[in-house]
Amino acid sequence: MNYIQSAQLMQKAPKASRPLPSSEFESMRVISGVATEEELFSDYKLFESSLRQLLGDETANTILTFLHNEMVNWLPHK
């Protein structure tokens, strides 16, 4: 999936049925029930499940795949 397709998919993400706090990270923090963003980002499973609840599986998969590919590019190549 290319960047344009990913961007289009993210625009089509379902909107939450309740008003969201000011940022998506704040929304994810509230959904997961953690006190800080540091807690959210230190637990991958918690981050993933919060992202899925906020944006839905299809959009979350797109974002998670993008993040995975970016992290792989930063790893030293042997």
Side-chain angles (χ1 to χ4, degrees):
M1 180 175 291
N2 65 34
Y3 175 78
I4 293 174
Q5 289 171 322
S6 296
Q8 289 170 340
L9 182 59
M10 291 190 324
Q11 287 177 343
K12 294 178 184 176
K15 303 294 181 208
S17 59
R18 59 185 166 74
L20 295 175
S22 60
S23 74
E24 286 184 15
F25 292 129
E26 179 68 12
S27 300
M28 290 172 61
R29 191 187 65 71
V30 170
I31 287 170
S32 65
V34 297
T36 66
E37 285 184 16
E38 183 178 337
E39 290 174 294
L40 179 64
F41 294 125
S42 64
D43 183 338
Y44 178 81
K45 290 292 184 187
L46 187 61
F47 172 79
E48 179 183 1
S49 65
S50 300
L51 191 65
R52 289 184 186 288
Q53 285 181 328
L54 182 63
L55 301 175
D57 286 334
E58 189 174 9
T59 303
N61 285 339
T62 299
I63 293 169
L64 294 169
T65 300
F66 173 80
L67 291 174
H68 170 19
N69 291 340
E70 287 297 306
M71 290 189 310
V72 167
N73 289 333
W74 282 96
L75 293 174
H77 298 287
K78 293 183 179 181

